Amino acid sequence: MARAAVKARERKREKLVAKYAAKRARLKAEGDYIGLDKLPRNASPVRLHNRCKLTGRPKGYMRKFGISRVTFREMASAGKIPGVTKASW
C-alpha cells in the first residue's frame, strides 16, 4: 500500500493537469513555448503516473479497471467485479 502522501500528491497532480489542460492546448497551438515554460511543472500530463485507485500501487496497473493486478485478482475472486469469472476449460 502506497503512503497516503504519495496518493495525495498524485491526486493533486491530476487536478493541476485538468486545470491547465485548455490553456496548455491553446499555447501549444499558438507555438508559444515561453508561455508553456511558465506553467507549473506538475501541470504537464507527462508527470502523471497511473496508480491503483484502491491501494496506490504504481506497477501492474490495469487501465480498463483502474486498479492493480493484485487488487483485480482479489476482487474478481470475491465476485466484486461484474462480468469477470475465473477461466476454466
Side-chain angles (χ1 to χ4, degrees), residues 7 13 18 26-27 34 49-51 57 67 71-72 82:
K7 291 193 273 187
R13 279 189 188 139
R26 184 177 48 78
L27 290 171
I34 296 169
H49 195 275
N50 289 331
R51 287 184 173 273
R57 181 174 165 60
I67 54 178
T71 310
F72 174 80

Side-chain angles (χ1 to χ4, degrees), residues 30-88:
E30 293 171 0
D32 184 9
Y33 296 105
I34 296 169
L36 277 170
D37 280 344
K38 291 179 181 175
L39 293 179
R41 281 190 178 186
N42 283 336
S44 173
V46 174
R47 291 175 74 101
L48 287 178
H49 195 275
N50 289 331
R51 287 184 173 273
C52 176
K53 299 295 179 203
L54 302 175
T55 60
R57 181 174 165 60
K59 296 182 179 180
Y61 180 79
M62 298 177 75
R63 234 176 236 225
K64 185 175 179 179
F65 299 97
I67 54 178
S68 70
R69 61 179 178 80
V70 179
T71 310
F72 174 80
R73 188 164 191 264
E74 290 170 358
M75 290 177 74
S77 294
K80 293 182 180 175
I81 302 176
V84 176
T85 57
K86 194 169 181 195
S88 62

Side-chain angles (χ1 to χ4, degrees), residues 15-25 39-40 43:
K15 288 178 187 173
L16 212 55
V17 167
K19 179 180 177 182
Y20 285 99
K23 187 172 186 177
R24 172 175 289 283
L39 293 179

